[in-house]
Amino acid sequence: MRLAMETSPQLKLVSLVLLLASFSHAIAAATPSLLEEQAGALLAWKATIRSPPAQLQSWGSNITWPCTWYGIKCGKNQAGHQEVMITEISLRGLRLRAALESLNFTALHTLTSIRLPYNQIRGPFPPTLASSLPNLRHLMLAGNKIFGEIPRQIKHLESLVGLNLSKNHLSGPIPSELSYLKKLAKLDFSNNHLTGPIPKNLWNCTQLTILYLWDNQLSGSIPQELSYLVNLELLDLGTNKLTGSISNTFGNLTKLTALYLDGNWFSGHVPREIGTLLDLRYLQFYDNNLSGPLPPELCAGGMLKRLIAFDNNLNGPLPSSLVNCRSLERVRLERNQIEGDISEMGVYPNLVYMDMTSNNLFGQLSYHWGECHNLTMLRISNNNLTGEIPSSMGQLSQLGWLDLSSNKLEGELPSALGNLKNLFNLSLGDNLLHGSIPLEIGALSNIELLDLSSNNLDGLIQNSIEHCLKLRLLKLNHNNFGGNIPPELGLLRSLHDLLDLSDNSFTGAIPSQLSDLIMLDTLNLSHNKLNGSIPPSFQSMESLTSIDVSYNELEGLVPDSNLFQGAPMQRFMHNKMLCGVVKGLPPCSSANQSRGERKRYKILVLAIVPALLSLVLAVMTLMFWHERKKTNATNDDKVTKEKVFSIWGFDGANVFMQIVEATNNFSEMHCIGTGGYGSVYKARLPTCEIFAVKRIHVIEDEHCENETMFNREIEALVQIRHRNIVKLFGYCSSNQSRFLIYEYMERGDLAKTLKDNERATELDWTRRIHIVLDVVHALAYMHHDCSSPIVHRDITSNNILLDYEFRACISDFGTAKILDLYGWNLTRLAGTKGYLAPELAYTENVTEKCDVYSFGVLVLELFMGSHPGDLLSSLSLATTNNELCLQDLLDSRLVLPDAGISRDIHRMLTVAVRCLEPSPSRRPTARHVDDELSTIKACEDHVDYLHAGITFPAL
């Protein structure tokens, strides 16, 4: 009994302990774990995301264990506890339409890494992000829509190692509180709208290895305190409004491998100390106001790959260290005043691009240039070079551009230049070269621009260049060439910009074959010894905007066309006896013609009798042929009351019969395509010529409409000649048959090419880029270079044809309209759904901007590989602009493009989406688009364009 009484308090204590233990366990069971709380925070954020991507379907599958969710990683508490928690969120390029403000960072305070680049995250940078994440080491928010200022609370992210806020819409100053981030190694604020100076106290971030502030609106000078960042390897301050001089303290940054200061307002000298940076590989300070010499010890470490310093006021000598810098890959020093002897230059085994145009360089070209086997461009024009062009340059198999113009080079043209099969631009004008053009130059099958003007070249030009069928510009003016102008020049059908043969000693008549240059813009034959008359066929050169035949011995009638009627009289002066439509020339009256009247009378008498006999014979032959055809033809194929039949440059009736026979009277086996108002047939004539023949459907209910479209297509195409517009060779119109005869495009239309996987992969990125350029060249010509603008109204992939070499041509002008420049252009709705401009839903007034919109859709289709209808529909639901990652827009059937191609595609798509603006007034013109796309040049940047965003307007 006593024992029981003594143990009673102990039993009570044990019971109490057990009770407390069970109570605490019950509480623990009722309270969610930290991991579950964090999972709840992520699900709450997901609920705010508009149209979450498929990758986030895993979110919510197991709320007690979110560590397996897409883009989520977990770890254990760093303080030694074993509790698991979320440490990383990584959702790159998912187009997330979200706001950071909606994410509960307090619950996610264990995060060490947030990686959300290249999405569509909008809104300001939330201060709670900075103040709630003491363990955050990596914050990557590049390529989003974050706006406003960077909050000063960012100073609380003291564990931060990497901070990337590039490609957003941040504004205001760079906060000085960044100086608290002592562990920061990588800082990227590039491509924003930041203003104000660079904070001096950034020097406190002594661990920085990368500092990118380029493409902002920063002002003031570079703080000298940046020289304390001795661990810096990459520094980019380009494209800002920075002023002042570049401090010589940059020499303290001994670990620098890349320094970019381009596109600012810097003045003064380039510090000599920059040349002492032994690890420097990339140096850019172009487009500033810098003067003085280049650092004499540039490339002292033998590592320099890229030197870009064009458009400054640099002078002084060319550094000898640069002359012998074998590591160089790209050099651009054009438009400065640099002096120096280049005779020892050329030993650059890695050099790809060099431009030293418009300086004060002298000396001779070394034979060592032949060892630069990777060289694609060499431009040293407008200097004082002497000596001969070394034949070793014929070994540069990759060379595409050689410009040595405006120097004092002498000697003959090396025949070895004919080995440069990739050369498309050869500019040697304004030198002292002599001799004839080597026959080997005719082997340059890819040459497009050839300038040999203002030299002392002589001899004949026959058999030298007529095989260069891709020539767009040919300048042989101001030389001593003689003999006749070769008729074979008429074979250079790609000549577009200029043919200049002026100021030579050409004799004889002007070849009528030059009228075959149907795309030529400017023709100059002045200051020669040409005789005879201007060929009447010149009046058919409708693309010609300028012709000069002054200072020759020409006589006779000037052809009657708009070109000659409006031409200045000065371009016909100092000839023997020209007369006609040119204002200022005498009329071709009987008095002017009296000297040859008797001779012409004799010729007339001698010719009239045979002509009459021939006419009678022809009439009898036609009557016989007509009766025979009338007897043998079936009713369905009977062609009566022929109204119009024209084949330019051919015997019309003969070609008509040949086409009917070649298509087996338009049988299905020869049909290669069928459209809304006609079918297209492939016709191979006995001459082995191949044409595409569009036969118009003859349907009673649609007869008037189809006839209108037929006539409209003829009306449009007879006015235009362009290498990227399908050629119309002729047409036939009768009561029961209408057809048009075009050039045959071997690869068919673009739509079928994109739909076929095998053919689509053959259409690589480079070819697609060229197709974009082909189409916009043609649109710019139609809209801006014709006497009256022509609007196609149906620019689609079905109406873009490709030839064997993937040249693109616009076809099918049945819906085209020639605009009235002085009034409204009201018309019925025409075009293809999915390509129609939005304003056509509420107006019947058609403008050139309708084609521009369709072009924007076409460019998207070309690079995506399919029509972007679904994409455009989803974007039309948005109320603000949208940004999509380039990689997500590309055709998945092709290998991803390299950096250079990605840059070109990104810029093309950036221009194309501007063509999709809902308001026509905000769309660019075709001319503006053409100029912008045609001047895309290789630039020295380091942007990851493949993951860069494309901003679409709110549709």
Side-chain angles (χ1 to χ4, degrees), residues 138 167 328 354 391 417 456 577 585 674 708 714 824 918:
H138 300 283
K167 302 181 186 67
L328 287 174
M354 175 172 279
S391 59
L417 293 182
N456 297 316
M577 182 63 74
L585 289 180
T674 301
T708 300
I714 295 171
W824 287 75

Side-chain angles (χ1 to χ4, degrees), residues 24 239 244 254 258 371 375 385 417-418 614 655 715 734 850:
S24 63
T239 319
T254 56
E371 301 173 18
L375 194 59
L385 305 186
L417 293 182
S614 299
V655 174
E715 183 183 11
S734 68
C850 299

Side-chain angles (χ1 to χ4, degrees), residues 541-729:
M541 300 177 71
E542 297 182 3
S543 65
L544 205 61
T545 62
S546 174
I547 183 170
D548 191 342
V549 294
S550 60
Y551 292 90
N552 280 287
E553 299 173 8
L554 300 171
E555 58 184 329
L557 178 67
V558 173
D560 187 358
S561 70
N562 291 335
L563 169 67
F564 292 98
Q565 290 173 10
M569 194 263 186
Q570 291 81 354
R571 297 178 183 173
F572 299 86
M573 293 174 58
H574 299 283
N575 275 287
K576 193 172 183 180
M577 182 63 74
L578 286 175
C579 61
V581 298
V582 177
K583 187 175 182 180
L585 289 180
C588 295
S589 64
S590 57
N592 292 329
Q593 300 171 13
S594 61
R595 289 182 299 174
E597 187 172 315
R598 182 174 298 177
K599 182 178 180 181
R600 287 195 297 271
Y601 177 76
K602 291 180 180 179
I603 294 173
L604 182 63
V605 170
L606 291 173
I608 192 167
V609 173
L612 284 172
L613 291 174
S614 299
L615 179 61
V616 172
L617 181 62
V619 170
M620 294 178 64
T621 303
L622 285 173
M623 291 176 64
F624 173 77
W625 175 82
H626 179 71
E627 290 298 322
R628 181 179 179 183
K629 177 177 177 60
K630 186 175 180 180
T631 302
N632 296 333
T634 64
N635 290 334
D636 291 339
D637 298 323
K638 186 176 181 181
V639 180
T640 61
K641 295 182 181 179
E642 185 172 307
K643 297 177 182 176
V644 182
F645 184 66
S646 175
I647 304 259
W648 295 293
F650 297 93
D651 178 352
N654 183 40
V655 174
F656 171 77
M657 293 299 299
Q658 290 183 23
I659 286 175
V660 172
E661 293 175 3
T663 59
N664 194 17
N665 202 14
F666 299 103
S667 72
E668 287 296 320
M669 65 180 295
H670 295 282
C671 184
I672 57 175
T674 301
Y677 84 109
S679 297
V680 182
Y681 299 82
K682 180 179 178 180
R684 182 187 294 274
L685 303 191
T687 59
C688 294
E689 294 172 290
I690 302 177
F691 295 103
V693 181
K694 181 195 289 185
R695 190 187 193 195
I696 309 305
H697 296 155
V698 181
I699 303 173
E700 192 65 32
D701 293 342
E702 301 175 1
H703 177 76
C704 293
E705 182 177 351
N706 284 357
E707 183 176 11
T708 300
M709 298 180 78
F710 175 77
N711 293 333
R712 184 179 288 145
E713 186 151 8
I714 295 171
E715 183 183 11
L717 286 174
V718 296
Q719 294 192 38
I720 53 182
R721 289 289 186 275
H722 192 278
R723 73 181 300 270
N724 300 121
I725 295 175
V726 67
K727 296 176 185 174
L728 177 65
F729 287 117

Side-chain angles (χ1 to χ4, degrees), residues 136 228 314 394 449 540 556 598 631 748 773:
L136 194 67
Y228 297 135
L314 301 173
L449 307 169
S540 67
R598 182 174 298 177
T631 302
L773 294 175

Side-chain angles (χ1 to χ4, degrees), residues 439-452:
L439 296 180
E440 289 78 3
I441 295 296
L444 298 176
S445 57
N446 288 306
I447 193 78
E448 295 184 21
L449 307 169
L450 178 60
D451 183 359
L452 303 177

Side-chain angles (χ1 to χ4, degrees), residues 754-772:
L754 291 175
K755 288 177 183 177
D756 184 282
N757 289 338
E758 183 176 349
R759 293 168 64 186
T761 53
E762 191 176 3
L763 197 64
D764 58 29
W765 297 121
T766 300
R767 286 171 173 159
R768 298 189 191 202
I769 288 172
H770 288 160
I771 289 172
V772 172

